[in-house]
Amino acid sequence: MRGRCILKDLSNNLNFSSFSHIYVENEALKNKNTQDILSHFKKSNIIKISHYKDVFFRKNQDFAVQKHSPKLILAVKHGNFIYDGAQVCEDFGNKYFYYTSSIMNCIYNCEYCYLQGVYTSANIVIFVNLDDVFHEVESLLEKHPVYLCISYDTDILAFEHITGFTKRWIEFAGIHKNLKIEIRTKSANFKCIEKLEPFSNVILAWTLSPEEISKTYEIGAPGFNSRLESIKSAVSSGWNLRICFDPILYLKNWSIYYKDCIDRTFEAVPSEKIQDISIGVFRISKDYLKRMKKVNPYSIVLSYPFKVQNGVCTYADIHHKTMIDFVYNLLSKYVEKEKIFI
């Protein structure tokens, strides 16, 4: 089963084969998760380091160049593991909204991804001390229920075949009923978790983009059809499903692309099987956007004359409203309006 997942994902994401060098913190060497991850890379060069920041945050790195051949860094995280949910992100009506990141950076190379503006390195850091995160979540759960997003600064399901972290999170949620987790993904990697029990407090959230956009601006990520197949399998297996049309990009023929995308989604997935839907236009921190433009100065997506409000860049009001209204009206033909979050 695990071998099938590896082969399937490698066929879609050849970037995984580029982990020719793996940096491992001395503190992480004896961790079981480290050993499990390294077992998938028998031919990689293992380099011991004192601290992941010595590699990840070193000066004069080129994000765009590294993205073609990212290296893997295995580390132990210290300090806080749980953070308050960002204001630009939807909380879906949950009062106690948090996120956590066991992995820094993503294997995909989406042109609009904010991670280009957050980090100067395209290398990928995996924090192997997952049990410490679980302990902090349990401490928080003693105070109140928790809604936790575990896949914001990466695509955790895309890494499942080498980490097994998604499986462990699902099993953890299964024994903590006052915890609700969201696993957001663009992967087509559902097969790696399809045998697990679909707990009611676990939400699988797929980001869907029109095929024309995924091919051009989401390099390395599975296309629309591949994601849709994973969604269909998840629905058939009884999982809670969230679909995210976010970010909607203002590009030539955008309305044609998104109409086709939405219509095809609901031709394949029964609307009653969808828990809710998230929609949102592209928005980004002003500082992140500035760095992103340096990484990709010729980007069509980033060349729009964005307006700035409270430090966040987004489309002009007329385009913002047109896009949201268009997608909202399309979706409301298929699902109750109460299921649509903007």
Side-chain angles (χ1 to χ4, degrees):
M1 170 65 186
R2 197 162 175 87
R4 233 178 41 234
C5 292
I6 294 171
L7 291 174
K8 179 178 177 59
D9 203 81
L10 282 175
S11 67
N12 290 328
N13 297 291
L14 297 179
N15 280 338
F16 276 114
S17 64
S18 70
F19 291 149
S20 58
H21 294 73
I22 301 178
Y23 298 88
V24 184
E25 280 187 351
N26 292 324
E27 189 178 355
L29 282 170
K30 294 183 179 180
N31 188 287
K32 183 181 183 302
N33 289 327
T34 297
Q35 299 306 314
D36 289 344
I37 291 168
L38 291 179
S39 70
H40 298 294
F41 302 98
K42 300 292 187 182
K43 296 182 179 180
S44 296
N45 294 315
I46 310 303
I47 303 169
K48 298 178 184 179
I49 59 175
S50 297
H51 200 282
Y52 81 92
K53 290 184 179 180
D54 296 338
V55 177
F56 191 75
F57 289 113
R58 69 177 184 266
K59 295 181 180 179
N60 301 318
Q61 298 187 87
D62 190 315
F63 189 100
V65 171
Q66 285 185 346
K67 201 66 181 174
H68 294 292
S69 181
K71 302 301 181 279
L72 191 61
I73 305 171
L74 306 183
V76 172
K77 187 172 185 178
H78 296 282
N80 294 331
F81 299 98
I82 310 299
Y83 307 94
D84 292 335
Q87 291 184 351
V88 295
C89 299
E90 177 61 58
D91 61 15
F92 297 93
N94 294 278
K95 181 178 180 180
Y96 301 105
F97 168 36
Y98 302 91
Y99 79 95
T100 187
S101 296
S102 298
I103 303 175
M104 294 168 62
N105 265 333
C106 184
I107 197 63
Y108 304 141
N109 190 17
C110 298
E111 190 169 312
Y112 54 81
C113 181
Y114 74 96
L115 294 176
Q116 303 169 67
V118 178
Y119 305 126
T120 57
S121 174
N123 291 327
I124 293 166
V125 180
I126 299 178
F127 294 112
V128 296
N129 54 324
L130 188 60
D131 286 335
D132 291 336
V133 185
F134 290 159
H135 292 154
E136 187 166 320
V137 174
E138 288 174 332
S139 296
L140 202 55
L141 289 170
E142 292 176 359
K143 303 175 184 178
H144 50 65
V146 170
Y147 171 65
L148 184 65
C149 297
I150 68 169
S151 191
Y152 264 16
D153 293 340
T154 190
D155 191 317
I156 196 170
L157 187 56
F159 286 92
E160 183 62 11
H161 62 285
I162 64 170
T163 67
F165 283 4
T166 310
K167 176 179 182 292
R168 291 197 60 195
W169 271 111
I170 292 170
E171 292 173 343
F172 181 76
I175 58 175
H176 295 86
K177 299 305 180 184
N178 56 339
L179 169 67
K180 184 190 300 181
I181 64 171
E182 185 211 66
I183 304 169
R184 191 166 297 204
T185 186
K186 290 178 183 173
S187 79
N189 214 19
F190 175 71
K191 281 189 176 298
C192 283
I193 60 170
E194 67 178 350
K195 300 300 182 182
L196 300 178
E197 181 179 348
F199 296 113
S200 60
N201 57 335
V202 176
I203 303 166
L204 299 183
W206 263 274
T207 296
L208 285 181
S209 303
E211 190 71 28
E212 296 83 357
I213 288 177
S214 64
K215 283 181 179 178
T216 306
Y217 303 107
E218 297 176 350
I219 305 303
F224 170 79
N225 291 326
S226 296
R227 292 180 221 177
L228 197 59
E229 287 302 312
S230 270
I231 290 173
K232 288 164 62 178
S233 297
V235 167
S236 297
S237 298
W239 291 83
N240 290 330
L241 174 65
R242 170 172 295 149
I243 294 180
C244 308
F245 298 102
D246 186 5
I248 306 168
L249 301 179
Y250 184 74
L251 298 164
K252 183 179 180 181
N253 296 324
W254 69 268
S255 59
I256 297 173
Y257 296 156
Y258 282 98
K259 182 180 187 306
D260 179 66
C261 175
I262 291 169
D263 288 342
R264 289 176 61 193
T265 297
F266 287 95
E267 287 173 5
V269 183
S271 59
E272 66 273 13
K273 298 293 185 179
I274 297 174
Q275 174 175 303
D276 51 43
I277 298 173
S278 171
I279 62 175
V281 300
F282 177 76
R283 68 270 187 204
I284 192 78
S285 158
K286 179 179 68 174
D287 293 333
Y288 291 171
L289 180 62
K290 183 178 179 180
R291 296 174 201 155
M292 289 166 67
K293 286 184 175 181
K294 288 183 178 179
V295 173
N296 197 345
Y298 304 109
S299 168
I300 294 176
V301 174
L302 304 179
S303 64
Y304 181 96
F306 297 100
K307 74 166 189 176
V308 183
Q309 185 173 358
N310 298 323
V312 176
C313 297
T314 189
Y315 297 124
D317 290 343
I318 186 171
H319 293 150
H320 185 290
K321 182 176 179 0
T322 299
M323 297 170 76
I324 290 294
D325 288 350
F326 181 83
V327 173
Y328 180 86
N329 289 333
L330 282 175
L331 291 171
S332 62
K333 296 177 181 178
Y334 294 103
V335 300
E336 299 91 335
K337 293 181 178 180
E338 293 75 20
K339 286 187 174 184
I340 306 173
F341 290 82
I342 303 173

